[in-house]
Amino acid sequence: MMGQDPDKARSHNRGMLIAIFVLFFGGMLVAGLLRFSGWRPEGSKNNGEMLQPYGDLREYAPTLANGVAYRWVDEPRIWRIVVAPRECDGARSGECRELLHEIDTVWRLMGKDADRVHVLWVGASPAGTAMPREVHVVRVDAVLPAQLPRGKHANNKANANRATGHDAAWLVDPNGFVVLRYAPGFDPGDLRTDLSRLLKVN
């Protein structure tokens, strides 16, 4: 029985090599184009604003209300939610209590991962309100507000009627980088979703 034609065999092998090349490098090319166009799978999108560049708090040690320094490196697997209300007295006290309640609810919904989350509350606590155990009250200084990026745009789910200013929230990773910002009036559910995803991968 005659063997396979050598020319046909070479053509077949060449075709297979080309197909493998196209499948491998073509997939990489498409992925690269999608990445640089800003497209991401729906499940990987953040609700908060990804900060570019990140804020850097690694060399900064906030001072707690009791005078003790709070350092990022002391507990390397802890994520931080930072909130900085403009003020919490007078007419604003009710809004601060509401914000505190929302953040506390987010923390409780973390379940078994809640102990890996600290809340840093910058400034005075709402009058007559007991702070939850996960909340660390931080003294206001000139450094921290400057290191909390304001972001390029507001969260598209933010309530436009709510006053803008410091009533935003930030997520700080275990190393001390400020990675996500939530504009004033943010949906606590968005913060919870992002934080849950981050706790699973870090």
Side-chain angles (χ1 to χ4, degrees):
M1 184 173 64
M2 298 288 292
Q4 186 176 8
D5 187 333
D7 291 335
K8 289 184 178 180
R10 280 194 295 272
S11 297
H12 175 75
N13 292 338
R14 188 180 304 115
M16 290 294 293
L17 287 172
I18 293 173
I20 292 171
F21 180 87
V22 169
L23 285 173
F24 183 75
F25 290 101
M28 291 178 62
L29 177 62
V30 171
L33 290 173
L34 290 174
R35 179 178 182 273
F36 287 109
S37 70
W39 181 88
R40 288 180 296 170
E42 188 65 31
S44 69
K45 291 182 179 179
N46 301 305
N47 292 305
E49 180 183 352
M50 180 70 74
L51 296 167
Q52 296 291 343
Y54 297 150
D56 188 350
L57 294 171
R58 290 175 297 170
E59 302 301 321
Y60 171 67
T63 301
L64 300 178
N66 61 6
V68 176
Y70 179 96
R71 294 189 56 80
W72 314 110
V73 296
D74 290 344
E75 297 184 73
R77 297 187 68 240
I78 300 296
W79 284 80
R80 284 86 177 183
I81 302 171
V82 179
V83 290
R86 287 172 293 160
E87 55 186 51
C88 284
D89 55 6
R92 291 272 304 155
S93 60
E95 291 182 34
C96 283
R97 283 194 292 271
E98 179 183 354
L99 177 59
L100 179 62
H101 172 72
E102 291 174 350
I103 296 296
D104 181 53
T105 300
V106 168
W107 183 82
R108 292 177 182 277
L109 290 174
M110 292 299 102
K112 63 181 178 61
D113 292 321
D115 287 339
R116 292 184 54 208
V117 180
H118 288 176
V119 176
L120 302 188
W121 182 276
V122 184
S125 57
T129 302
M131 300 301 275
R133 70 180 181 89
E134 76 276 7
V135 177
H136 301 258
V137 180
V138 174
R139 293 180 180 177
V140 178
D141 60 27
V143 178
L144 184 56
Q147 296 299 324
L148 294 174
R150 306 207 39 98
K152 294 182 179 179
H153 53 78
N155 187 313
N156 58 10
K157 293 185 179 181
N159 180 354
N161 294 322
R162 184 165 179 170
T164 58
H166 295 289
D167 292 292
W170 293 262
L171 268 183
V172 181
D173 77 6
N175 297 310
F177 288 108
V178 188
V179 293
L180 289 170
R181 177 183 182 269
Y182 299 83
F186 65 91
D187 184 343
D190 290 345
L191 173 58
R192 174 181 177 270
T193 298
D194 288 346
L195 186 54
S196 296
R197 185 182 299 129
L198 290 167
L199 286 169
K200 289 178 181 177
V201 299
N202 191 312

Short mmCIF file of all heavy atoms in Angstrom, two decimals, residues 17-75:
data_model
loop_
_atom_site.label_atom_id
_atom_site.label_comp_id
_atom_site.label_asym_id
_atom_site.label_seq_id
_atom_site.Cartn_x
_atom_site.Cartn_y
_atom_site.Cartn_z
N LEU A 17 0.08 23.80 12.36
CA LEU A 17 0.92 24.77 13.07
C LEU A 17 0.33 26.17 13.00
O LEU A 17 0.33 26.93 13.98
CB LEU A 17 2.33 24.76 12.50
CG LEU A 17 3.20 23.55 12.85
CD1 LEU A 17 4.50 23.58 12.05
CD2 LEU A 17 3.48 23.51 14.35
N ILE A 18 -0.17 26.54 11.81
CA ILE A 18 -0.79 27.86 11.65
C ILE A 18 -2.03 27.99 12.53
O ILE A 18 -2.26 29.02 13.17
CB ILE A 18 -1.14 28.11 10.17
CG1 ILE A 18 0.16 28.24 9.34
CG2 ILE A 18 -1.99 29.37 10.02
CD1 ILE A 18 -0.08 28.32 7.84
N ALA A 19 -2.85 26.92 12.58
CA ALA A 19 -4.07 26.95 13.39
C ALA A 19 -3.72 27.13 14.87
O ALA A 19 -4.37 27.90 15.59
CB ALA A 19 -4.87 25.67 13.17
N ILE A 20 -2.69 26.39 15.32
CA ILE A 20 -2.27 26.50 16.72
C ILE A 20 -1.75 27.91 17.01
O ILE A 20 -2.07 28.51 18.04
CB ILE A 20 -1.19 25.44 17.04
CG1 ILE A 20 -1.80 24.03 16.99
CG2 ILE A 20 -0.56 25.70 18.41
CD1 ILE A 20 -0.79 22.91 17.08
N PHE A 21 -0.98 28.45 16.09
CA PHE A 21 -0.44 29.81 16.25
C PHE A 21 -1.58 30.83 16.36
O PHE A 21 -1.57 31.70 17.24
CB PHE A 21 0.44 30.15 15.05
CG PHE A 21 1.04 31.53 15.10
CD1 PHE A 21 2.24 31.76 15.76
CD2 PHE A 21 0.39 32.60 14.50
CE1 PHE A 21 2.78 33.03 15.81
CE2 PHE A 21 0.93 33.87 14.55
CZ PHE A 21 2.13 34.09 15.21
N VAL A 22 -2.57 30.71 15.48
CA VAL A 22 -3.70 31.66 15.48
C VAL A 22 -4.50 31.54 16.78
O VAL A 22 -4.87 32.55 17.39
CB VAL A 22 -4.60 31.41 14.26
CG1 VAL A 22 -5.91 32.20 14.39
CG2 VAL A 22 -3.88 31.80 12.98
N LEU A 23 -4.76 30.30 17.21
CA LEU A 23 -5.53 30.10 18.43
C LEU A 23 -4.81 30.69 19.64
O LEU A 23 -5.41 31.35 20.48
CB LEU A 23 -5.79 28.61 18.65
CG LEU A 23 -6.85 27.96 17.76
CD1 LEU A 23 -6.88 26.45 17.99
CD2 LEU A 23 -8.22 28.56 18.04
N PHE A 24 -3.49 30.47 19.72
CA PHE A 24 -2.73 30.91 20.89
C PHE A 24 -2.52 32.42 20.89
O PHE A 24 -2.92 33.13 21.80
CB PHE A 24 -1.38 30.19 20.93
CG PHE A 24 -0.56 30.54 22.14
CD1 PHE A 24 -0.87 30.02 23.38
CD2 PHE A 24 0.52 31.41 22.02
CE1 PHE A 24 -0.11 30.36 24.50
CE2 PHE A 24 1.28 31.74 23.13
CZ PHE A 24 0.96 31.22 24.37
N PHE A 25 -1.91 32.91 19.82
CA PHE A 25 -1.57 34.33 19.78
C PHE A 25 -2.78 35.20 19.46
O PHE A 25 -2.85 36.36 19.90
CB PHE A 25 -0.45 34.59 18.78
CG PHE A 25 0.87 34.04 19.23
CD1 PHE A 25 1.36 32.84 18.74
CD2 PHE A 25 1.62 34.71 20.19
CE1 PHE A 25 2.57 32.33 19.17
CE2 PHE A 25 2.84 34.20 20.63
CZ PHE A 25 3.32 33.01 20.12
N GLY A 26 -3.73 34.64 18.73
CA GLY A 26 -4.95 35.41 18.45
C GLY A 26 -5.73 35.68 19.73
O GLY A 26 -6.24 36.78 19.95
N GLY A 27 -5.80 34.66 20.61
CA GLY A 27 -6.48 34.85 21.89
C GLY A 27 -5.80 35.91 22.74
O GLY A 27 -6.45 36.73 23.38
N MET A 28 -4.46 35.88 22.73
CA MET A 28 -3.71 36.87 23.49
C MET A 28 -3.95 38.27 22.93
O MET A 28 -4.08 39.24 23.68
CB MET A 28 -2.21 36.55 23.45
CG MET A 28 -1.83 35.30 24.23
SD MET A 28 -0.06 34.94 24.12
CE MET A 28 0.64 36.40 24.87
N LEU A 29 -4.01 38.38 21.60
CA LEU A 29 -4.23 39.68 20.97
C LEU A 29 -5.60 40.23 21.33
O LEU A 29 -5.73 41.41 21.69
CB LEU A 29 -4.08 39.55 19.46
CG LEU A 29 -4.35 40.82 18.64
CD1 LEU A 29 -3.35 41.91 19.02
CD2 LEU A 29 -4.27 40.52 17.15
N VAL A 30 -6.62 39.38 21.25
CA VAL A 30 -7.97 39.82 21.59
C VAL A 30 -8.05 40.24 23.05
O VAL A 30 -8.64 41.28 23.39
CB VAL A 30 -9.00 38.70 21.29
CG1 VAL A 30 -10.37 39.07 21.85
CG2 VAL A 30 -9.09 38.47 19.79
N ALA A 31 -7.44 39.44 23.94
CA ALA A 31 -7.45 39.78 25.36
C ALA A 31 -6.76 41.11 25.61
O ALA A 31 -7.22 41.93 26.41
CB ALA A 31 -6.77 38.68 26.17
N GLY A 32 -5.64 41.33 24.91
CA GLY A 32 -4.92 42.59 25.06
C GLY A 32 -5.75 43.78 24.60
O GLY A 32 -5.80 44.82 25.25
N LEU A 33 -6.41 43.62 23.45
CA LEU A 33 -7.25 44.71 22.94
C LEU A 33 -8.39 45.03 23.88
O LEU A 33 -8.72 46.19 24.12
CB LEU A 33 -7.79 44.33 21.55
CG LEU A 33 -6.76 44.28 20.40
CD1 LEU A 33 -7.41 43.73 19.14
CD2 LEU A 33 -6.19 45.68 20.15
N LEU A 34 -9.01 44.00 24.42
CA LEU A 34 -10.11 44.21 25.37
C LEU A 34 -9.61 44.91 26.63
O LEU A 34 -10.27 45.81 27.16
CB LEU A 34 -10.77 42.88 25.73
CG LEU A 34 -11.58 42.21 24.62
CD1 LEU A 34 -12.05 40.84 25.06
CD2 LEU A 34 -12.77 43.08 24.21
N ARG A 35 -8.43 44.49 27.09
CA ARG A 35 -7.89 45.08 28.32
C ARG A 35 -7.61 46.56 28.13
O ARG A 35 -7.98 47.39 28.96
CB ARG A 35 -6.61 44.35 28.72
CG ARG A 35 -5.95 44.92 29.97
CD ARG A 35 -4.70 44.11 30.32
NE ARG A 35 -4.09 44.62 31.54
CZ ARG A 35 -3.20 45.62 31.56
NH1 ARG A 35 -2.84 46.20 30.43
NH2 ARG A 35 -2.69 46.04 32.70
N PHE A 36 -6.95 46.90 27.02
CA PHE A 36 -6.59 48.31 26.80
C PHE A 36 -7.78 49.16 26.42
O PHE A 36 -7.74 50.38 26.53
CB PHE A 36 -5.48 48.41 25.75
CG PHE A 36 -4.15 47.97 26.25
CD1 PHE A 36 -3.58 46.80 25.80
CD2 PHE A 36 -3.46 48.72 27.21
CE1 PHE A 36 -2.34 46.38 26.29
CE2 PHE A 36 -2.23 48.31 27.70
CZ PHE A 36 -1.67 47.14 27.24
N SER A 37 -8.87 48.53 25.98
CA SER A 37 -10.08 49.30 25.68
C SER A 37 -10.88 49.59 26.94
O SER A 37 -11.84 50.35 26.92
CB SER A 37 -10.96 48.53 24.68
OG SER A 37 -11.53 47.38 25.30
N GLY A 38 -10.49 48.94 28.07
CA GLY A 38 -11.20 49.18 29.32
C GLY A 38 -12.29 48.18 29.61
O GLY A 38 -12.94 48.25 30.65
N TRP A 39 -12.52 47.24 28.70
CA TRP A 39 -13.57 46.25 28.93
C TRP A 39 -13.12 45.21 29.94
O TRP A 39 -11.98 44.77 29.93
CB TRP A 39 -13.93 45.54 27.63
CG TRP A 39 -15.02 44.52 27.79
CD1 TRP A 39 -16.36 44.73 27.71
CD2 TRP A 39 -14.86 43.12 28.06
NE1 TRP A 39 -17.04 43.56 27.93
CE2 TRP A 39 -16.15 42.56 28.15
CE3 TRP A 39 -13.75 42.30 28.26
CZ2 TRP A 39 -16.35 41.21 28.42
CZ3 TRP A 39 -13.96 40.96 28.53
CH2 TRP A 39 -15.24 40.42 28.60
N ARG A 40 -14.03 44.84 30.84
CA ARG A 40 -13.78 43.74 31.78
C ARG A 40 -15.04 42.92 31.91
O ARG A 40 -16.14 43.44 31.75
CB ARG A 40 -13.40 44.29 33.16
CG ARG A 40 -12.02 44.89 33.22
CD ARG A 40 -11.71 45.41 34.60
NE ARG A 40 -12.58 46.51 34.95
CZ ARG A 40 -12.67 47.05 36.14
NH1 ARG A 40 -11.97 46.55 37.15
NH2 ARG A 40 -13.47 48.08 36.38
N PRO A 41 -14.92 41.61 32.23
CA PRO A 41 -16.12 40.80 32.44
C PRO A 41 -16.98 41.41 33.54
O PRO A 41 -16.46 42.00 34.48
CB PRO A 41 -15.54 39.44 32.89
CG PRO A 41 -14.16 39.42 32.34
CD PRO A 41 -13.68 40.84 32.39
N GLU A 42 -18.28 41.24 33.40
CA GLU A 42 -19.21 41.86 34.34
C GLU A 42 -18.89 41.52 35.79
O GLU A 42 -18.97 42.35 36.68
CB GLU A 42 -20.65 41.40 34.00
CG GLU A 42 -21.73 42.13 34.78
CD GLU A 42 -21.78 43.61 34.44
OE1 GLU A 42 -21.46 43.98 33.30
OE2 GLU A 42 -22.14 44.39 35.35
N GLY A 43 -18.51 40.27 36.05
CA GLY A 43 -18.25 39.84 37.41
C GLY A 43 -17.00 40.43 38.03
O GLY A 43 -16.79 40.34 39.23
N SER A 44 -16.12 41.03 37.19
CA SER A 44 -14.86 41.54 37.72
C SER A 44 -14.88 43.06 37.91
O SER A 44 -13.90 43.64 38.33
CB SER A 44 -13.71 41.17 36.79
OG SER A 44 -13.82 41.88 35.56
N LYS A 45 -15.99 43.71 37.59
CA LYS A 45 -16.07 45.15 37.69
C LYS A 45 -16.25 45.59 39.14
O LYS A 45 -16.99 44.98 39.90
CB LYS A 45 -17.21 45.69 36.83
CG LYS A 45 -16.97 45.54 35.34
CD LYS A 45 -18.12 46.13 34.54
CE LYS A 45 -17.86 46.00 33.05
NZ LYS A 45 -18.97 46.54 32.24
N ASN A 46 -15.56 46.66 39.51
CA ASN A 46 -15.73 47.23 40.84
C ASN A 46 -16.89 48.20 40.83
O ASN A 46 -17.13 48.90 39.85
CB ASN A 46 -14.46 47.98 41.26
CG ASN A 46 -13.25 47.08 41.26
OD1 ASN A 46 -13.24 46.04 41.91
ND2 ASN A 46 -12.22 47.47 40.52
N ASN A 47 -17.59 48.27 41.97
CA ASN A 47 -18.64 49.26 42.12
C ASN A 47 -18.04 50.60 42.52
O ASN A 47 -18.52 51.65 42.12
CB ASN A 47 -19.66 48.80 43.16
CG ASN A 47 -20.44 47.59 42.70
OD1 ASN A 47 -21.06 47.60 41.64
ND2 ASN A 47 -20.39 46.52 43.47
N GLY A 48 -16.99 50.55 43.35
CA GLY A 48 -16.30 51.77 43.72
C GLY A 48 -15.38 52.23 42.60
O GLY A 48 -15.13 51.50 41.64
N GLU A 49 -14.89 53.45 42.73
CA GLU A 49 -13.99 54.00 41.72
C GLU A 49 -12.57 53.52 41.98
O GLU A 49 -12.00 53.78 43.04
CB GLU A 49 -14.02 55.52 41.75
CG GLU A 49 -13.10 56.16 40.73
CD GLU A 49 -13.09 57.68 40.81
OE1 GLU A 49 -13.91 58.24 41.56
OE2 GLU A 49 -12.24 58.29 40.14
N MET A 50 -12.00 52.79 41.01
CA MET A 50 -10.62 52.35 41.11
C MET A 50 -9.72 53.56 40.96
O MET A 50 -9.80 54.30 39.99
CB MET A 50 -10.30 51.32 40.02
CG MET A 50 -8.88 50.81 40.07
SD MET A 50 -8.55 49.76 41.49
CE MET A 50 -9.42 48.25 40.99
N LEU A 51 -8.88 53.78 41.96
CA LEU A 51 -8.05 54.97 41.98
C LEU A 51 -6.77 54.76 41.18
O LEU A 51 -6.09 53.75 41.33
CB LEU A 51 -7.72 55.35 43.42
CG LEU A 51 -8.94 55.74 44.25
CD1 LEU A 51 -8.58 55.80 45.73
CD2 LEU A 51 -9.51 57.07 43.79
N GLN A 52 -6.45 55.71 40.34
CA GLN A 52 -5.23 55.68 39.54
C GLN A 52 -4.57 57.05 39.63
O GLN A 52 -5.11 58.00 39.08
CB GLN A 52 -5.54 55.33 38.09
CG GLN A 52 -6.13 53.94 37.89
CD GLN A 52 -5.11 52.84 38.16
OE1 GLN A 52 -3.90 53.09 38.19
NE2 GLN A 52 -5.58 51.62 38.36
N PRO A 53 -3.45 57.21 40.28
CA PRO A 53 -2.75 56.17 41.02
C PRO A 53 -3.39 55.94 42.39
O PRO A 53 -4.22 56.72 42.84
CB PRO A 53 -1.34 56.76 41.18
CG PRO A 53 -1.60 58.24 41.27
CD PRO A 53 -2.74 58.50 40.32
N TYR A 54 -2.98 54.85 43.04
CA TYR A 54 -3.46 54.56 44.38
C TYR A 54 -2.93 55.61 45.37
O TYR A 54 -1.83 56.14 45.20
CB TYR A 54 -2.97 53.19 44.86
CG TYR A 54 -3.48 52.02 44.06
CD1 TYR A 54 -2.71 50.87 43.94
CD2 TYR A 54 -4.72 52.03 43.44
CE1 TYR A 54 -3.17 49.77 43.22
CE2 TYR A 54 -5.19 50.95 42.73
CZ TYR A 54 -4.40 49.82 42.61
OH TYR A 54 -4.86 48.76 41.90
N GLY A 55 -3.72 55.86 46.42
CA GLY A 55 -3.17 56.62 47.54
C GLY A 55 -2.20 55.73 48.31
O GLY A 55 -2.35 54.51 48.33
N ASP A 56 -1.21 56.33 48.91
CA ASP A 56 -0.17 55.55 49.59
C ASP A 56 -0.07 55.99 51.06
O ASP A 56 0.41 57.08 51.37
CB ASP A 56 1.17 55.75 48.88
CG ASP A 56 2.26 54.83 49.41
OD1 ASP A 56 2.04 54.17 50.45
OD2 ASP A 56 3.34 54.76 48.78
N LEU A 57 -0.54 55.11 51.95
CA LEU A 57 -0.52 55.40 53.38
C LEU A 57 0.48 54.51 54.13
O LEU A 57 0.43 54.42 55.35
CB LEU A 57 -1.92 55.20 53.98
CG LEU A 57 -3.00 56.17 53.49
CD1 LEU A 57 -4.37 55.73 54.00
CD2 LEU A 57 -2.70 57.59 53.94
N ARG A 58 1.38 53.88 53.41
CA ARG A 58 2.28 52.92 54.05
C ARG A 58 3.18 53.56 55.11
O ARG A 58 3.50 52.94 56.12
CB ARG A 58 3.15 52.23 53.00
CG ARG A 58 2.38 51.27 52.09
CD ARG A 58 3.29 50.73 51.02
NE ARG A 58 3.77 51.82 50.15
CZ ARG A 58 4.72 51.66 49.24
NH1 ARG A 58 5.31 50.49 49.07
NH2 ARG A 58 5.09 52.70 48.49
N GLU A 59 3.60 54.79 54.88
CA GLU A 59 4.52 55.45 55.81
C GLU A 59 3.79 56.33 56.82
O GLU A 59 4.43 57.03 57.59
CB GLU A 59 5.53 56.29 55.02
CG GLU A 59 6.35 55.51 54.01
CD GLU A 59 7.14 54.39 54.66
OE1 GLU A 59 7.67 54.61 55.76
OE2 GLU A 59 7.22 53.29 54.07
N TYR A 60 2.46 56.27 56.79
CA TYR A 60 1.67 57.16 57.65
C TYR A 60 1.03 56.35 58.78
O TYR A 60 0.48 55.28 58.56
CB TYR A 60 0.59 57.85 56.83
CG TYR A 60 -0.42 58.62 57.65
CD1 TYR A 60 -0.05 59.75 58.36
CD2 TYR A 60 -1.74 58.19 57.72
CE1 TYR A 60 -0.97 60.45 59.13
CE2 TYR A 60 -2.67 58.89 58.46
CZ TYR A 60 -2.28 60.02 59.16
OH TYR A 60 -3.19 60.70 59.92
N ALA A 61 1.12 56.86 59.99
CA ALA A 61 0.50 56.20 61.14
C ALA A 61 -0.54 57.14 61.74
O ALA A 61 -0.18 58.11 62.42
CB ALA A 61 1.55 55.84 62.19
N PRO A 62 -1.82 56.89 61.48
CA PRO A 62 -2.85 57.73 62.10
C PRO A 62 -2.79 57.63 63.63
O PRO A 62 -2.32 56.62 64.17
CB PRO A 62 -4.16 57.13 61.57
CG PRO A 62 -3.79 56.28 60.41
CD PRO A 62 -2.40 55.81 60.67
N THR A 63 -3.24 58.66 64.29
CA THR A 63 -3.32 58.64 65.75
C THR A 63 -4.76 58.42 66.17
O THR A 63 -5.66 59.15 65.74
CB THR A 63 -2.80 59.97 66.35
OG1 THR A 63 -1.45 60.17 65.93
CG2 THR A 63 -2.84 59.92 67.87
N LEU A 64 -4.98 57.39 66.97
CA LEU A 64 -6.33 57.09 67.45
C LEU A 64 -6.76 58.12 68.48
O LEU A 64 -5.95 58.88 69.03
CB LEU A 64 -6.37 55.69 68.04
CG LEU A 64 -5.99 54.56 67.06
CD1 LEU A 64 -6.02 53.21 67.78
CD2 LEU A 64 -6.93 54.53 65.86
N ALA A 65 -8.04 58.14 68.78
CA ALA A 65 -8.59 59.10 69.73
C ALA A 65 -7.94 58.98 71.10
O ALA A 65 -7.85 59.96 71.85
CB ALA A 65 -10.10 58.93 69.83
N ASN A 66 -7.46 57.77 71.44
CA ASN A 66 -6.82 57.57 72.75
C ASN A 66 -5.33 57.91 72.75
O ASN A 66 -4.63 57.67 73.72
CB ASN A 66 -7.03 56.13 73.22
CG ASN A 66 -6.41 55.11 72.27
OD1 ASN A 66 -5.74 55.46 71.31
ND2 ASN A 66 -6.67 53.83 72.54
N GLY A 67 -4.84 58.44 71.61
CA GLY A 67 -3.45 58.85 71.52
C GLY A 67 -2.48 57.79 71.03
O GLY A 67 -1.29 58.06 70.85
N VAL A 68 -2.96 56.58 70.78
CA VAL A 68 -2.11 55.48 70.31
C VAL A 68 -2.01 55.53 68.78
O VAL A 68 -2.99 55.81 68.09
CB VAL A 68 -2.68 54.12 70.77
CG1 VAL A 68 -1.86 52.97 70.20
CG2 VAL A 68 -2.72 54.05 72.28
N ALA A 69 -0.83 55.25 68.26
CA ALA A 69 -0.64 55.22 66.81
C ALA A 69 -1.26 53.96 66.23
O ALA A 69 -1.15 52.87 66.80
CB ALA A 69 0.85 55.29 66.46
N TYR A 70 -1.92 54.10 65.09
CA TYR A 70 -2.49 52.95 64.37
C TYR A 70 -1.62 52.72 63.14
O TYR A 70 -1.50 53.58 62.29
CB TYR A 70 -3.93 53.26 63.95
CG TYR A 70 -4.60 52.14 63.19
CD1 TYR A 70 -5.40 51.21 63.84
CD2 TYR A 70 -4.41 52.00 61.82
CE1 TYR A 70 -6.01 50.18 63.14
CE2 TYR A 70 -5.01 50.97 61.11
CZ TYR A 70 -5.81 50.07 61.78
OH TYR A 70 -6.41 49.04 61.09
N ARG A 71 -1.03 51.53 63.05
CA ARG A 71 -0.11 51.24 61.95
C ARG A 71 -0.67 50.11 61.08
O ARG A 71 -1.18 49.11 61.58
CB ARG A 71 1.27 50.85 62.49
CG ARG A 71 1.98 51.99 63.21
CD ARG A 71 3.42 51.63 63.53
NE ARG A 71 4.16 51.26 62.32
CZ ARG A 71 4.67 52.15 61.47
NH1 ARG A 71 4.51 53.43 61.67
NH2 ARG A 71 5.34 51.75 60.41
N TRP A 72 -0.51 50.29 59.76
CA TRP A 72 -1.00 49.30 58.81
C TRP A 72 -0.27 47.97 58.97
O TRP A 72 -0.88 46.90 58.87
CB TRP A 72 -0.77 49.80 57.38
CG TRP A 72 -1.18 51.21 57.15
CD1 TRP A 72 -0.35 52.26 56.92
CD2 TRP A 72 -2.51 51.73 57.14
NE1 TRP A 72 -1.08 53.42 56.76
CE2 TRP A 72 -2.40 53.12 56.89
CE3 TRP A 72 -3.77 51.17 57.31
CZ2 TRP A 72 -3.52 53.95 56.81
CZ3 TRP A 72 -4.88 51.99 57.24
CH2 TRP A 72 -4.75 53.36 57.00
N VAL A 73 1.03 48.01 59.22
CA VAL A 73 1.83 46.79 59.19
C VAL A 73 1.61 45.89 60.41
O VAL A 73 2.04 44.74 60.41
CB VAL A 73 3.34 47.12 59.08
CG1 VAL A 73 3.63 47.82 57.78
CG2 VAL A 73 3.78 47.97 60.27
N ASP A 74 0.94 46.39 61.43
CA ASP A 74 0.75 45.58 62.63
C ASP A 74 -0.13 44.35 62.37
O ASP A 74 0.02 43.33 63.03
CB ASP A 74 0.14 46.42 63.75
CG ASP A 74 1.13 47.45 64.28
OD1 ASP A 74 2.33 47.29 64.01
OD2 ASP A 74 0.70 48.40 64.95
N GLU A 75 -1.06 44.46 61.45
CA GLU A 75 -1.96 43.34 61.13
C GLU A 75 -2.04 43.25 59.61
O GLU A 75 -2.91 43.85 58.99
CB GLU A 75 -3.33 43.57 61.76
CG GLU A 75 -3.28 43.62 63.28
CD GLU A 75 -4.66 43.74 63.90
OE1 GLU A 75 -5.39 42.73 63.86
OE2 GLU A 75 -5.00 44.81 64.38
#
